[in-house]
Structure formats: structure tokens, C-alpha cells
Amino acid sequence: MVRQRVLSGVQPTGNYHLGNYLGAIRNWVAGQSQYDNFLFVADLHAITVPHDPKRLAADTYSLVGLYLACGLDLKDSTIFVQSHVSAHSELTWLLNCITPLNWLEDMIQFREKAIKQGENVNTGLLDYPVLMASDILLYKPDKVPVGEDQKQHLELTRDIANRFNHQFAHPKQPVLKLPEPLIIAEGARVMSLADGTRKMSKSDPSDLSRINLLDPPEQIEYKIKRCKTDPIRGLVFDDPERPECNNLLTLYMLLAGKTKTAVAAECQDMGWGQFKPLLTEVTIAALKPIQDKYQAVMDDQGYLESVLRSGRQKAEAIANDTLNQVKAALGYTVPL
Ligand code: TRP
């Protein structure tokens, strides 16, 4: 049986936290053997906002190290770096020329980022969704796992693919394949430690708002000690007046691998002073194997490079094939 292909990218911007792990990486790893997975470091997207060239390479390697540490298996997953496969940039140009400008100007994420950045908005930020569409369409994946914030980008990808096929392909022989969203399993919405109504985020200026996957035990302990709670005794899930309580119990449930019913019973009479050490303990224990594996992988640069070399080779073969089909459909001559 042919496995469905799934593709996703993550930007190398550091601060990978429990929200990323419990919300995305962990589910991905758990289901990886069902799919033919393609996972890349979106380092071309990383320069759409001001970036530090001194950090880009290190952050890229570190992200690959984390993927491997979190349990991505190379027999199910192809890991590569976006900038190593030049077809991503090339297809972006071709698709730019069929994408109406107002589609991009209307994208929610562009508008939000542009407002935040004021004057300092580059063309790449506007074009970000076309690069993302290219990332996806090159590999003809069946599914793309997307969180809420990326849904509109996937819809745009489908719109671009449709428009291309409509304008340049025979109706019975579409060149670009329309990807479907892979809905991420529920129960893994991790909120900020400083505000239980906002998602845990790598761009939150306060590092105390999140637990990073590479935080050492003392730091985890400190952050949990300092995190926002409420003055009520007896800890419960799903009280809309107590978002922090719900979030911390959820974290405990996920990290301890317990059921919701078990955690509800265990914590119903607890106060924070009793609960926080428990949460600290399971968090440290859940992250330890990831941190140990991360160290081992990062200490072996040659291995990391070999992973990326074979990832690139496999990705490039597929990407170039699609790129050539697109160029042929657009009427380009074949280089001699
Ligand atoms: N834009 C995505 C994010 O910031 C990262 C990304 C780039 C991506 N290209 C992609 C995700 C292709 C899925 C598919 O989260």
C-alpha cells in the first residue's frame, strides 16, 4: 500500500516550547509510520522579518537536532533544509506571476505582521504565502498539518494551484495537486504560563511565559513556581473563570500521560503548593529523554550533515520533477 504523503515546515527561530511539542511535534511522531513524511526547516521564510545572519545556521542545525531528539524516524521522515533545494525559490517566482496582488495584501498574517513592523515591511513578507505555496505544491503532498494561524495560507495554496491548473493545464491532467489540511488532534492547546487565555508562543517577549524544550530542570522549576495561578483551592478543568488552572492541569495530564478523569480526581482537593511540584516533576521527566538525545545528536555534526544531505537528495528529486512540469506547462524551453 502506498502511504499518503504529509509535508510541513518549521521556521528556525529558536524557543521551541511545550506548545510546539504537545500541539504538533508529538502527534507527528506518534503517527509518522502511517505516512510518508517530509519535514523541512523553513529558513527562507526566516528572513522575511529582520534576522541575525550569525544565528541562522546554528538555529537550523538546532531545529534538525530537536526533530531527531523528539523521535522523528528517518525511515518514515525526510528531513531537509528549504534553502538547500533551489526549486522552492524558483517555483515562488513562477507562481508570483500568476498570483493576484490583492490575494496577498488581504492575508491576515501579513496584515498583522505589517502593522507590528510599521515602516519596515519588505516584499518578502508580502510574498511569504507564495513561498509557502511553493513549498507545498512542489511535493504534491496529500495532507499538510496546519494550526489555526496557517489555515489561510493553505487555502491560498489551493487557490493558487487551482488558478495555475485552470490557466495552464488540461482539465483532465492538472499539474499541481490540491493539498488537504490535516486537522491536528485536540487536547493539545497549550497556553501561556503568564496568561491562560493566550497561546504559548515563541515570540512572547517574556521567556517566563513558556517552557522551552531545552530549558534545564532549575529553569523549569523556576518558571512553574512563578507561573500565574489563582487564589482558589481545589483544581478543576474547564472552568471558564480559571483559564490558568485548566491549562496547568492539561499540561500535567499530557506530560504525565494520565487521563483527564484521573487528573480531575487526583487534583480536585489540591492547592497550588501541592500541585506545582508534581507538575515540575513530570515536566522535567518528560523533557529529559528529549534533552539527552538532543545533546547526543548535536555532538555528532557528521551525522547531522549526513541526515541533511540525504534529505536534500530525496527532496530535490521530487521538487525538480514538479518544477519541470510547471515550466513545461508555462511554455519554457528546456535547457540544452
Ligand atoms: N509558515 C509556517 C509557519 O510559520 C512554516 C511553513 C513554511 C510551512 N512552509 C510551509 C508549514 C509549508 C507547512 C507547509 O508555521
Side-chain angles (χ1 to χ4, degrees):
M1 209 191 79
V2 183
R3 291 188 292 183
Q4 286 203 327
R5 184 176 293 163
V6 171
L7 170 128
S8 189
V10 179
Q11 293 195 47
T13 41
N15 296 342
Y16 305 101
H17 53 70
L18 274 181
N20 302 128
Y21 180 65
L22 298 170
I25 307 175
R26 198 176 69 144
N27 296 356
W28 181 293
V29 168
Q32 66 181 326
S33 63
Q34 297 169 56
Y35 298 107
D36 181 20
N37 304 283
F38 283 75
L39 197 53
F40 64 91
V41 180
D43 60 345
L44 295 173
H45 279 105
I47 69 163
T48 56
V49 293
H51 88 291
D52 178 358
K54 290 198 284 300
R55 294 207 49 91
L56 191 56
D59 286 346
T60 297
Y61 278 121
S62 163
L63 178 53
V64 175
L66 261 182
Y67 279 157
L68 294 167
C70 288
L72 277 183
D73 189 332
L74 295 173
K75 93 180 142 32
D76 301 314
S77 302
T78 303
I79 305 176
F80 64 100
V81 177
Q82 187 186 30
S83 67
H84 292 180
V85 181
S86 57
H88 291 246
S89 303
E90 200 172 343
L91 183 61
T92 300
W93 174 255
L94 302 176
L95 295 183
N96 274 341
C97 298
I98 67 142
T99 304
L101 183 57
N102 68 314
W103 287 9
L104 300 180
E105 288 167 337
D106 290 344
M107 298 299 285
I108 295 164
Q109 197 172 73
F110 170 70
R111 288 176 163 272
E112 285 175 357
K113 287 190 186 173
I115 289 168
K116 242 195 236 161
Q117 286 178 225
E119 298 285 285
N120 187 16
V121 174
N122 62 52
T123 308
L125 190 67
L126 178 71
D127 204 25
Y128 178 118
V130 181
L131 176 58
M132 183 160 160
S134 302
D135 296 338
I136 296 170
L137 297 171
L138 280 173
Y139 298 92
K140 305 187 174 174
D142 298 287
K143 298 220 163 109
V144 178
V146 279
E148 202 51 48
D149 62 328
Q150 299 296 321
K151 254 193 193 150
Q152 199 186 25
H153 288 151
L154 192 66
E155 278 159 29
L156 183 90
T157 301
R158 292 170 58 89
D159 290 343
I160 292 174
N162 258 326
R163 189 172 166 96
F164 182 92
N165 288 335
H166 185 73
Q167 289 185 5
F168 299 104
H170 190 276
K172 290 209 174 78
Q173 270 179 308
V175 172
L176 297 175
K177 174 175 171 139
L178 271 58
E180 300 288 339
L182 182 67
I183 304 303
I184 293 167
E186 222 229 312
R189 211 173 135 78
V190 177
M191 312 308 281
S192 159
L193 296 184
D195 175 354
T197 63
R198 291 208 337 254
K199 264 182 84 170
M200 189 175 281
S201 158
K202 63 180 169 186
S203 55
D204 192 312
S206 168
D207 197 53
L208 290 177
S209 71
R210 64 185 159 258
I211 292 175
N212 300 308
L213 297 181
L214 298 175
D215 280 347
E218 316 79 72
Q219 185 125 27
I220 294 173
E221 189 180 0
Y222 180 73
K223 286 178 174 177
I224 293 178
K225 239 182 218 149
R226 294 282 308 270
C227 77
K228 184 170 177 202
T229 54
D230 55 35
I232 307 168
R233 220 192 141 72
L235 308 182
V236 295
F237 283 105
D238 299 323
D239 180 343
E241 305 287 309
R242 303 180 68 189
E244 287 80 22
C245 185
N246 186 62
N247 184 44
L248 296 171
L249 286 191
T250 304
L251 273 178
Y252 179 63
M253 169 186 88
L254 295 168
L255 294 168
K258 296 184 175 178
T259 64
K260 191 167 173 178
T261 328
V263 171
E266 183 184 351
C267 303
Q268 61 183 345
D269 299 319
M270 275 188 197
W272 293 111
Q274 198 183 351
F275 175 77
K276 282 188 170 186
L278 285 180
L279 178 60
T280 303
E281 192 184 319
V282 299
T283 306
I284 292 171
L287 292 184
K288 170 127 180 33
I290 296 176
Q291 297 180 347
D292 289 350
K293 177 102 194 276
Y294 176 80
Q295 253 334 304
V297 170
M298 295 307 282
D299 287 346
D300 191 348
Q301 188 74 14
Y303 171 68
L304 218 50
E305 284 168 9
S306 76
V307 168
L308 291 181
R309 198 174 310 118
S310 54
R312 174 180 63 80
Q313 281 164 0
K314 205 168 148 204
E316 203 161 53
I318 299 169
N320 285 346
D321 197 43
T322 306
L323 181 64
N324 287 333
Q325 291 167 22
V326 168
K327 288 170 91 171
L330 289 171
Y332 280 97
T333 55
V334 181
L336 299 170

